[in-house]
Amino acid sequence: ETFQATNWMTPAHILNEFPYQKFAADVKEASKGSVDFEIYSSGSLVPAPTTMQGIGDGVAQLGIVYPPYNPSELPLNNVVNDLVFVSDDDFAAAFAWTELGLTNEKVRAEWNKNGGVFVGGYATPVYNFVCMKEITDPASAEGLKIRTAGTAQTAWVQSLKAVPVSVPIADVYSGLERGSLDCTMTDPTNLDKGNKFWEVAKTVNLLPMGVVVGATYVYNKDFWSGLSPENRRILLDETAIGLARSQVAYHVGVANALKGSEERGLKITEANPDMVAALDKFKTSMIAELPKRSMAERKIEDPSDVIANFLELQKKWSGLMADVDRTDPDAVARIVKENLYSKLDENTFGLN
Amino acid sequence: MERIEIGFMGLFAVLALIGIRVPIGAAMGGVAFVGIWGMMGWRPAVGIAKAVPFHLIGDWNLSAIPMFLLMGFIAVEAGLTRGLFGAARILLARIPGGLASSTVVASALFASASGSSVATAAAFSRIAVPEMLDAKYNPGLATGSVAAAGTLGALIPPSVLMIVFGLLMDTSISTLFVAGIVPGILTAIMFILLITVRCYFNPNLAPATKVDVTREEKRALIADAWPLPVLIAGVMGGIFTGVFTATEAGAAGAFLAFMIALVRGRLSFPIVRKALVDTAAGSSTIFIIVLGAALFARFVALATIPTWVMGFFDGYSTLTVILLVCLLFLALGAFLESISIMLLTLPVLGPLLLSHDVNMIWFGVLTIKLLELGLVSPPVGMNVFVIKSSMGSRVSLGTIFKGVSWFVLADLVTLGLLIAFPFISLWLPSLMEMR
Amino acid sequence: MVRLISYLTQALAWLAGFAMLLMMFHVMADVIGKYLFHAPVPSTAEVVANYYMIAGVFLTLAWVEATNSAIAVDLFFEMASKKVQHVMRVFAHLVTLAFYLGLGWFSWDIAVRAWQISETVDGIWRVVVWPAKFMLPIGLALAVLVLLLKIFSGDRVRIVDSSAAAEQI
Ligand code: NA
Ligand code: NA
């Protein structure tokens, strides 16, 4: 039977190619055609910001949801998206975020309320500065116009006395080219893929400024509960592989983007110690203030328990990932399956 | 019933409804809803109808369109453009159809400031068509040349369509921009050749404009021509020096038009209010069709028509694939709005074209050119509609489509040249690469 | 009743026109702020997209219907007899009415949902968007009223006069 899956990214994007195109083919084979996802890419079924709503309404049975598009529907998930500014390991962040979504009752309730079942998520590579001018120590950032996305990035840039600019991602390239932006905070795969910042940018500074997380697999509730347990098992197992492939592709992508950028003559610099110290200070105060700020701005109950839960899971996954070959999707998938999906019961998971 | 069958029935239903004068937006949107309901059930149909409108229209990138409309309305209401055409009438009086040719030249200039073809057509339908009708030009030629010249807007950078193409196909937007320049100029030259030849053999199309003005009057007219060139220089200069982005350029252009009108003492409250309400109304008529087309695009996708089309391309040579893709774009361009066509086809065609090793910059230029043709081809031709909406009952839709059909022929020749000689598109970008 | 609809149609159209003016000034203020003062106007893109664009397009729908400027193909219409033309006109109004009524109804749901969760979008400032979502049902509802008026009056009632409107008020 055919079902609809929506992904607002192009078919060639890492978060579409591996966890959707490849995943759908594998699921179809494993389920002997009983679960066959038709993938609607580039937002051709529903616009990106309405993906959650589209899944809840049954327009699509599967979709990729980016919580910052829905701050009011997914406030708790957005707290986590603020929080991952402190992450400096994308694998640990991705799998901690996934485990949080699978096991934390409050987070699960939020997906449930929107008519969705969260089954797995991604983290982008760690964000760096991609600039026209060089950023090194805190003083060098003062007054620069820096493109940011999200509250944490904005607050950090403000703390550097730089000017945070919020422009659509499509305008960043021309903004850098024409000087209306001096810098953008971005994951390095945007250097060569998609936005091709390496065509205009001059420098990259590797200061690790967090990741961005999103939900790779959110299913329509009725669809999920209507599946046979065998098919739910197949989807859970394939999820482990889909997530692993995405993170590995990102990891390899970063290495290639940085290498290619260097070959094109971009100056790539390590993080400056003063800057790291300033960033650490900012992170500490951010974590401390996050519960209070979230309660005030997002109008939610105290999220301290969720924040603590995430940080603890992130530590756990840093440990689990310590000795894994991060360029080997099978090795990563094995760890994810062993520690997450094999522990889920296909007869009960996501049914309430 | 199979989804594909419902899909073809839907295509037929839209044609029938449009044929009996149901407004195009409502026809496409209505059929899309009923069709999705029939294929997928009530909940998905309602879900799509709920999900699409707000986020489709509420888009920062599309804001350039009303702003360029406003720039055009202010320019016209405040009489900023009369001078240029006065001057053009004199300078190009000797050439048969000189006023139409000068429209093409001015459109090409304006296009280099405007991000969108529809906005270019909107501006020139106010600027150029009344001038040509006053000069007793054939209405088909007058409106047709504006509709066709408007298509330069997305080919000559900046271009909203190229931005969308670049994002969808993972291709450099700035390279695309550079690649569009020469094909844009080539298109303009083809249009001028066409106008000149047609008017030479049939002088009734465009009566020769009399040049019995004194030298002083001539000087005064040329002196009066400054506002539009200043506007163009301001917008283009702003974009290329980096003061604003392509999206911001619309607002900047409108603002500059306001300033020029103010300086010339042409701004009054009624003029401003009319320009503003006309801008909103013009945007509304355009975007309700965009909305209908966007809903219809979802219907077409769910009906698996793109997959069905892909079946055709199996096992053909690269050139055949390119030609078939061109035919597909022409066919879709007859009905659908440009951005919807790209959303619908590029995710499907991208991998196919990459497997054939097609140069994506070249293909991008071809795509824009083909989508531009769709803007002037019946039954759904956005540029033609824009002109119709600004001319009201003075010119019928049929007249405009008939007038523009000559330009479509010229465009097909240009398209053939672009396919046969990829270097027309790739030469300028190759210079950039060497930099 | 006719006068009330007429009044509302004009009022919404001017509101939409005013949104166009604000859009221009807002974007220009952002550009000028960015270059001269290193201080862009925060959340310009969000406000432009969610408020000005929506107002410009949806609040003018009734005006567009009242001035008969929705775009249709009159190729066969012009060939038809007066009687057939009348039938075609009413049918076209009915299809448009059904389309707007459906969209209006669904968008009302969306607006109420957005209001209940006090919907915002994140930018440098948090922009409240739920009020913008009410512009869809409002604009569509008034357009439906205009269409009903046109159907029952046989297109004889002149709701607004687009050419004179600028001079009158
Ligand atoms: Na242009
Ligand atoms: Na067309």
Side-chain angles (χ1 to χ4, degrees), chain C residues 102-142:
Chain C
L103 280 185
W105 175 28
F106 301 142
S107 62
W108 172 255
D109 260 15
I110 290 291
V112 170
R113 189 151 108 182
W115 170 60
Q116 281 165 346
I117 59 171
S118 317
E119 193 174 28
T120 58
V121 290
D122 279 359
I124 298 225
W125 289 347
R126 188 151 295 157
V127 177
V128 175
V129 292
W130 64 263
K133 299 213 160 165
F134 279 95
M135 290 195 275
L136 273 76
I138 290 171
L140 287 158
L142 190 62

Side-chain angles (χ1 to χ4, degrees), chain B residues 68 107-117 120 150-160 177 239:
Chain B
F68 280 120
S107 280
L109 287 173
F110 188 90
S112 61
S114 149
S116 125
S117 291
T120 305
T151 66
L152 294 167
L155 202 56
I156 298 176
S159 159
V160 175
F177 276 7
I239 289 173

Side-chain angles (χ1 to χ4, degrees), chain B residues 238-262:
Chain B
I239 289 173
F240 287 106
T241 57
V243 179
F244 36 73
T245 65
T247 309
E248 293 164 340
F255 187 74
L256 190 56
F258 258 100
M259 290 296 114
I260 295 172
L262 199 66

Side-chain angles (χ1 to χ4, degrees), chain A residues 141-322:
Chain A
E142 213 175 305
L144 294 188
K145 288 164 285 184
I146 303 177
R147 194 259 180 182
T148 60
T151 34
Q153 292 186 5
T154 303
W156 159 242
V157 163
Q158 275 165 341
S159 80
L160 289 173
K161 299 199 187 68
V163 184
V165 181
S166 150
V167 294
I169 185 82
D171 285 355
V172 173
Y173 182 101
S174 59
L176 290 171
E177 189 176 31
R178 290 162 177 149
S180 63
L181 288 173
D182 299 310
C183 280
T184 180
M185 290 177 66
T186 180
D187 86 64
T189 58
N190 277 317
L191 282 163
D192 62 339
K193 299 225 174 57
N195 296 296
K196 290 204 172 19
F197 292 147
W198 70 7
E199 290 178 0
V200 287
K202 304 267 185 285
T203 68
V204 179
N205 185 276
L206 298 174
L207 184 70
M209 294 176 290
V211 300
V212 166
V213 293
T216 317
Y217 300 102
V218 179
Y219 291 94
N220 171 277
K221 227 160 61 176
D222 297 340
F223 164 77
W224 182 259
S225 52
L227 287 169
S228 68
E230 296 75 48
N231 280 339
R232 277 200 292 269
R233 185 73 255 162
I234 289 170
L235 290 179
L236 291 173
D237 289 345
E238 292 295 341
T239 299
I241 299 166
L243 296 183
R245 280 178 181 156
S246 320
Q247 293 308 133
V248 167
Y250 261 141
H251 183 80
V252 173
V254 168
N256 290 340
L258 290 175
K259 189 163 159 269
S261 298
E262 195 151 34
E263 283 164 9
R264 288 178 78 103
L266 277 77
K267 187 173 175 191
I268 295 172
T269 51
E270 293 294 329
N272 165 290
D274 292 347
M275 199 67 151
V276 173
L279 181 61
D280 283 342
K281 207 176 125 201
F282 174 82
K283 284 178 181 176
T284 312
S285 73
M286 197 207 84
I287 294 177
E289 285 167 23
L290 189 57
K292 217 172 83 191
R293 220 193 52 221
S294 302
M295 285 190 281
E297 288 175 4
R298 302 196 186 277
K299 315 257 183 311
I300 51 170
E301 291 170 38
D302 188 354
S304 300
D305 52 334
V306 175
I307 293 172
N309 193 180
F310 177 82
L311 292 173
E312 177 196 317
L313 289 170
Q314 186 167 253
K315 205 179 267 168
K316 170 186 153 188
W317 278 97
S318 289
L320 287 170
M321 290 303 300

